[in-house]
Amino acid sequence: MEQYEPDRLSPAQVAAMRRGFRRGRASLTRRSLLRASAGGALTVGGLGALSACGIPAAGQSQGGVSAEDHSEKEKTVHFSNWTEYMDVDESEKHHPTLDAFRQRTGVTVRYTEDINDNVEFFGKIKPQLAAGQDTGRDLICVTDWLAARLIRFGWVQKLDPSNLPTAYANLSQQFRSPDWDPGRAYSYPWTGISTVIAYNKKALDGVEVTSVSDLLDNPRLKGRVGFLSEMRDSVGMTLLDMGKDPGTFGDDDFDAAVARLQKAVDKGQIRRFTGNDYTADLTKGDFAACLAWAGDVVQLKADSPDVDFLIPDSGYMTSTDNLLVPNKARHKTNAERLIDFYYEPGPAAQLAAYINYVCPVDGVKDELAKIDEDAANNPLILPDQDMAAKSRSFRSLGAKEETAYEEKFAKLTGA
């Protein structure tokens, strides 16, 4: 188990965090994932402050630290999630799936939308976790790089498979065994986040785009191409285009991908690196084509007949937001029951119909078709077998790698 060390932020990590606040997925509208996947950067001052406050480093224990489980006597579960990441009724005051869970189990979900950014949320919970205290939360939802870090520090609890039979049976194959949590011992995905190529048909004006190479090299697209300010997405897609696996690459591969992007920047091919604000550029036609997040593309396609997407033959990047039980949570069994509930086809379909991101649950299509037939046939929500086979994830990074890579990416983007 990796020990938590109160290191200070490198300039690159600070830049990555600020990119997230300014331009990351924390910046736009309804059904856009309100997050800043800041490459693992930590809150400004947070690491140094932790040491100054006398909070001890996490120990080397294997697995998380449990507490007495009060689930049987206290019919409640405290769930922290992202904004606009849960189904709501027409009044926008009730969450139908959470109400259904309460009616079935008698367990009330104290649902809080208090995650606006991975970095910011880590700053909220790290003092209690580092001190071995209860965070007041039984279930949290964080992006894969932060989930990996919490698992490495021993700050989340190992899940009880006996409480997760449906989740185990219905978890889609592509999400079953990330390198940071093999076999999903500590986490289950809430949703998948795919990075694809989006384009404006009118702005392309007959130019064919089929790959990242087209974005980087076609002179007819000069100054009308967008890449993402998230390092894992832009570098990962470039690595795939170069025939490299983002799950196994080395330093030389990373440097080659950055050099390729730098060449496109230098010759004016890439207009800019963006967060969620690429949506305006794309719909206006300032971007003829760009890297984009699939959940946004679902909405853009519904609003604009000119916007569409493609999956390169080389593959595409997928990350996940994940459910975990923090150390010392009082209602672990209730939290596991809630995870298992969302892996039933009915609740999973209701959730997918609302948030429009990749559903990690198998067997949902028929249920989703009853709610929204277009969504059920949309590969950005329910990837078919061929699309799922092209999905790749960015490998876990050690602390030194993370700092070095963010420094290089910050220099590239001018952050």
Side-chain angles (χ1 to χ4, degrees):
M1 193 68 62
E2 180 178 322
Q3 186 171 4
Y4 177 70
E5 296 291 349
D7 300 324
R8 294 193 177 277
L9 289 172
S10 72
Q13 288 177 313
V14 173
M17 185 201 72
R18 288 173 177 164
R19 276 202 314 276
F21 281 124
R22 292 196 311 266
R23 301 181 291 177
R25 280 172 272 182
S27 64
L28 195 66
T29 57
R30 193 169 188 268
R31 293 186 185 174
S32 295
L33 289 184
L34 301 181
R35 68 186 35 71
S37 181
L42 304 175
T43 306
V44 170
L47 297 176
L50 209 63
S51 178
C53 292
I55 298 174
Q60 297 283 350
S61 60
Q62 295 298 312
V65 180
S66 62
E68 182 181 354
D69 194 343
H70 298 266
S71 293
E72 186 62 32
K73 293 182 179 180
E74 299 176 5
K75 297 295 185 179
T76 188
V77 59
H78 296 263
F79 181 11
S80 285
N81 204 353
W82 299 85
T83 306
E84 305 289 356
Y85 225 14
M86 179 67 73
D87 58 301
V88 297
D89 64 7
E90 291 184 0
S91 73
E92 298 195 355
K93 295 180 180 179
H94 300 282
H95 303 291
T97 55
L98 293 180
D99 291 342
F101 177 76
R102 176 181 53 79
Q103 291 167 7
R104 181 194 299 182
T105 65
V107 175
T108 297
V109 181
R110 306 298 182 187
Y111 185 72
T112 307
E113 295 180 336
D114 62 344
I115 306 179
N116 294 309
D117 171 281
N118 284 297
V119 176
E120 180 185 53
F121 185 66
F122 183 73
K124 288 181 182 179
I125 63 175
K126 71 178 184 290
Q128 296 101 316
L129 291 173
Q133 299 170 354
D134 180 13
T135 66
R137 299 167 175 87
D138 301 303
L139 194 63
I140 61 175
C141 182
V142 297
T143 305
D144 44 19
W145 64 262
L146 182 53
R149 177 164 292 184
L150 294 173
I151 292 169
R152 291 199 309 268
F153 290 162
W155 286 358
V156 293
Q157 298 185 53
K158 195 169 186 178
L159 300 174
D160 183 348
S162 68
N163 292 327
L164 296 159
T166 307
Y168 180 81
N170 291 344
L171 176 60
S172 297
Q173 186 62 40
Q174 74 178 103
F175 298 114
R176 279 195 174 268
S177 195
D179 68 346
W180 48 269
D181 187 15
R184 291 288 181 180
Y186 295 89
S187 69
Y188 269 85
W190 180 246
T191 191
I193 308 161
S194 298
T195 303
V196 300
I197 294 177
Y199 57 89
N200 184 309
K201 288 178 278 189
K202 185 176 180 180
L204 280 179
D205 192 25
V207 177
E208 184 179 18
V209 172
T210 62
S211 66
V212 170
S213 288
D214 291 329
L215 300 186
L216 295 174
D217 300 329
N218 191 326
R220 293 179 64 188
L221 298 179
K222 182 177 180 179
R224 300 190 297 138
V225 168
F227 272 68
L228 293 167
S229 57
E230 303 298 344
M231 181 263 287
R232 286 166 173 79
D233 294 317
S234 286
V235 174
M237 290 291 281
T238 304
L239 284 167
L240 283 170
D241 190 71
M242 297 168 63
K244 303 295 183 180
D245 185 349
T248 59
F249 70 91
D251 290 346
D252 290 344
D253 298 323
F254 183 89
D255 289 346
V258 169
R260 190 164 182 225
L261 289 166
Q262 185 67 61
K263 182 179 179 181
V265 170
D266 292 343
K267 67 182 181 182
Q269 185 78 5
I270 295 176
R271 184 183 183 94
R272 65 190 185 105
F273 289 84
T274 73
N276 235 137
D277 47 331
Y278 68 79
T279 56
D281 290 295
L282 186 62
T283 54
K284 289 189 300 183
D286 291 340
F287 283 164
C290 63
L291 297 187
W293 291 303
D296 292 333
V297 176
V298 173
Q299 294 301 306
L300 293 174
K301 279 175 58 64
D303 296 335
S304 173
D306 292 326
V307 173
D308 211 335
F309 76 99
L310 65 93
I311 304 297
D313 288 340
S314 58
Y316 66 100
M317 298 301 298
T318 299
S319 56
T320 50
D321 281 333
N322 308 273
L323 301 172
L324 303 99
V325 178
N327 284 357
K328 295 298 183 77
R330 288 176 59 88
H331 311 105
K332 179 174 182 283
T333 298
N334 289 341
E336 291 167 337
R337 293 175 73 186
L338 184 61
I339 295 172
D340 202 58
F341 172 77
Y342 277 104
Y343 273 78
E344 296 177 12
Q350 285 183 262
L351 183 66
Y354 182 78
I355 65 175
N356 289 167
Y357 275 78
V358 178
C359 179
V361 182
D362 279 343
V364 169
K365 187 168 185 176
D366 289 346
E367 291 294 328
L368 185 54
K370 297 175 185 177
I371 304 170
D372 185 338
E373 190 168 350
D374 288 340
N377 293 312
N378 191 331
L380 296 180
I381 298 174
L382 296 182
D384 57 28
Q385 188 173 1
D386 289 341
M387 182 170 171
K390 293 182 179 180
S391 172
R392 296 291 183 271
S393 297
F394 205 91
R395 69 172 175 82
S396 300
L397 300 178
K400 291 182 179 179
E401 279 186 316
E402 194 169 68
T403 299
Y405 290 173
E406 283 292 355
E407 285 177 350
K408 292 172 181 179
F409 191 70
K411 183 178 179 181
L412 166 72
T413 62

